[in-house]
């Protein structure tokens, strides 16, 4: 009897262990079942993309978020290079922009107010008196409808209804994410409206190219293909000026360690609590040109960014403070990442001479961003 009892226990333990192992479906250690739930009657899931180089990208339709990105370092070791959480429940418990497909309007709109065709629209004011990233219930907290087109592509769609967060028009949005064989994440945004509105979408991944969020970004080399930037006031709002980077700590036209610049005694760095600014790209919409490069000297991982947008917001995790615990119980410390958000300039709806963000019925909003990974040995 005792032998039989122990044999049954051993079988059950083996079965339980196998079940737990089966739950880990991704290279990054994510359990797909922890992303499968319902929020307000809508289902969430985890979509896994892989290419021939064994690179892996995990995406959830909750906020259209990139949850993990596994890429090889200079020694061939696979590293997860974005911040995020292990489950939908954690994303809900700890509101953040980690990896999200941001909309309806990425970045800030002054006082949450803009005028279009003579009509004034008031949006929520959720950041120093301004509307940030579409408001407190922007696209990062909405459920996209997700379809896995292939093992290398996912299609996300979302209907943002007229009046949502104060924005006019029913906006049909599409985000297509493709993983290519040259280790690039190719993101295409599309949208159509039935009423004049403003649109500005982006991806808000927090990149940590060391694959170790316990380390900050001080040693990362940053290069920006930009001669000018848009300064901000003490509330992080663009002033309307366009200033040259020449002779300032905002000059990243040559590869420069972030730590060399970010703590300098410079008014803009004080206003942004570090680097949290929009640069005006020299690429002028040419997606064949690299607009930004980030590199870790520790892992050799290089991230090149391409876009057809006129600007890029660089944010260096200045508000991470060690209070968030992310994937694999890792604490996300101060400046443990860099965000590279391709987009229209902040507050464009209130600055007539800046590239327009207006979308009208019969028109199609299109925007593209490519995050391409390689190694420098």
């Amino acid at each position: 009897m005792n032998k039989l009892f122990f044999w049954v226990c051993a079988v059950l333990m083996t079965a339980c262990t196998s079940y737990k192992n089966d739950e880990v479906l991704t290279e990054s250690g994510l359990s797909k079942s922890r992303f499968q739930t319902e929020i307000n009657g809508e289902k969430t899931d985890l979509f896994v993309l892989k290419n021939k180089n064994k690179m892996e990208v995990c995406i959830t339709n909750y906020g259209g978020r990139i949850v993990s990105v596994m890429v090889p370092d200079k020694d061939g070791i696979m590293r997860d290079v974005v911040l995020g959480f292990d489950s939908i429940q954690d994303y809900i418990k700890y509101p953040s922009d980690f990896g999200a497909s941001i909309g309806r309007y990425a970045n800030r709109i002054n006082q949450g107010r803009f005028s279009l065709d003579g009509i004034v629209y008031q949006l929520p004011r959720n950041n120093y008196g301004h509307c940030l990233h579409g408001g407190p219930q922007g696209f990062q907290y909405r459920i996209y409808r997700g379809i896995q087109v292939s093992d290398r592509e996912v299609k996300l769609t979302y209907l943002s209804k007229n009046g949502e967060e104060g924005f006019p028009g029913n906006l049909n949005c599409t985000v297509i994410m493709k993983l290519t064989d040259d280790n690039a994440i190719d993101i295409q945004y599309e949208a159509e409206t039935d009423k004049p509105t403003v649109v500005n979408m982006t991806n808000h991944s927090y990149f940590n190219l060391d694959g170790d969020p316990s380390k900050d970004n001080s040693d990362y080399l940053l290069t920006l293909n930009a001669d000018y930037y848009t300064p901000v006031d003490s509330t992080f709002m663009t002033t309307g000026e366009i200033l040259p980077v020449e002779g300032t700590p905002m000059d990243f036209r040559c590869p420069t360690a972030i730590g060399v610049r970010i703590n300098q005694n410079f008014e803009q760095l004080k206003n942004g609590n570090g680097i949290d600014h929009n640069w005006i790209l020299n690429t002028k919409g040419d997606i064949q040109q690299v607009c930004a490069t980030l590199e870790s000297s520790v892992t050799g991982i290089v991230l090149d960014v391409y876009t057809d947008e006129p600007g890029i917001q660089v944010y260096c995790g200045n508000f991470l403070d060690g209070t968030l615990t992310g994937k694999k119980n890792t604490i996300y410390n101060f400046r443990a990442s860099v965000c590279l958000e391709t987009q229209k300039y902040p507050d464009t709806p209130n600055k007539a001479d800046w590239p327009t963000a207006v979308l009208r019925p019969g028109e199609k909003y299109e925007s593209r961003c490519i995050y391409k990974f390689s190694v420098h040995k």
Side-chain angles (χ1 to χ4, degrees), residues 112-127:
R113 188 183 302 116
F114 69 95
S115 177
L116 181 57
D117 296 341
I119 302 173
V120 177
Y121 295 95
Q122 182 62 57
L123 315 173
R125 299 167 66 178
N126 61 320
N127 184 259

Side-chain angles (χ1 to χ4, degrees), residues 31-303:
S31 173
K32 192 167 184 177
S33 66
R34 300 187 71 186
F35 288 83
Q36 295 171 325
T37 187
E38 279 195 15
I39 301 174
N40 297 326
E42 303 206 46
K43 294 182 179 180
T44 63
D45 207 342
L46 188 72
F47 303 89
V48 182
L49 308 183
K50 293 185 178 182
N51 68 8
K52 68 177 184 181
N53 305 316
K54 297 184 179 180
M55 178 178 168
E56 178 194 80
V57 179
C58 294
I59 300 156
T60 178
N61 58 321
Y62 176 69
R65 297 170 184 266
I66 294 176
V67 180
S68 65
V69 177
M70 296 291 287
V71 295
D73 67 10
K74 61 185 179 182
D75 299 315
I77 299 170
M78 301 298 288
R79 296 182 182 267
D80 187 355
V81 294
V82 297
L83 307 191
F85 295 112
D86 287 318
S87 70
I88 292 294
Q89 295 307 316
D90 282 344
Y91 279 103
I92 294 171
K93 184 178 180 180
Y94 305 108
S96 72
D97 300 319
F98 290 158
S101 296
I102 299 291
R104 182 175 301 197
Y105 195 93
N107 221 305
R108 296 169 176 86
I109 294 179
N110 192 19
Q111 301 299 304
R113 188 183 302 116
F114 69 95
S115 177
L116 181 57
D117 296 341
I119 302 173
V120 177
Y121 295 95
Q122 182 62 57
L123 315 173
R125 299 167 66 178
N126 61 320
N127 184 259
Y128 295 89
H130 311 300
C131 182
L132 174 65
H133 294 330
Q137 292 300 313
F139 291 5
Q140 64 270 51
Y141 303 114
R142 306 287 179 167
I143 311 301
Y144 287 78
R145 181 171 178 264
I147 299 175
Q148 182 125 13
V149 179
S150 70
D151 58 356
R152 301 184 191 184
E153 179 179 343
V154 65
K155 181 178 181 181
L156 306 170
T157 57
Y158 176 64
L159 171 60
S160 175
K161 294 183 179 179
N162 179 50
E164 182 178 293
E165 294 295 89
F167 288 95
N170 293 298
L171 190 75
N172 277 294
C173 307
T174 301
V175 182
I176 299 171
M177 298 187 186
K178 298 178 182 178
L179 177 58
T180 66
D181 276 338
D182 59 353
N183 285 5
I185 306 170
D186 190 335
I187 307 174
Q188 177 74 44
Y189 306 93
E190 299 173 356
E192 295 180 310
T193 183
D194 61 0
K195 187 177 180 180
T197 191
V198 294
V199 187
N200 185 31
M201 297 185 70
T202 194
N203 180 267
H204 210 305
S205 287
Y206 285 59
F207 295 103
N208 181 292
L209 300 188
D210 289 338
D212 182 2
S214 68
K215 298 179 180 177
D216 68 18
N217 53 33
S218 297
D219 294 331
Y220 291 176
L221 295 179
L222 175 65
T223 311
L224 298 173
N225 190 354
D227 297 326
Y228 296 90
Y229 74 104
T230 54
V232 298
D233 63 22
S234 60
T235 68
F236 301 87
M237 177 50 60
T238 47
T239 64
E241 300 171 279
I242 292 177
L243 297 182
V245 300
E246 181 74 36
T248 77
M250 312 304 279
D251 189 351
F252 286 91
R253 289 175 295 181
C254 295
T256 305
I258 291 174
V260 171
R261 295 274 199 261
I262 199 168
N263 294 314
Q264 289 190 25
N265 185 18
F266 185 65
E267 182 182 18
Q268 280 303 303
L269 293 174
K270 293 178 182 178
N271 286 352
N273 195 32
I275 295 173
D276 189 1
H277 294 77
N278 168 70
W279 272 261
I280 296 174
L281 296 172
N282 294 333
T283 51
K284 301 184 185 302
D286 182 1
I287 202 165
Q288 302 301 316
Q289 296 186 51
V290 177
C291 71
T293 299
L294 192 67
E295 179 179 350
S296 165
S297 58
V298 174
T299 62
I301 295 174
V302 179
L303 170 58

Side-chain angles (χ1 to χ4, degrees), residues 337-348:
S337 61
V338 177
C339 301
L340 300 165
E341 308 159 57
T342 61
Q343 56 190 270
K344 304 289 190 296
Y345 308 161
D347 197 37
T348 282

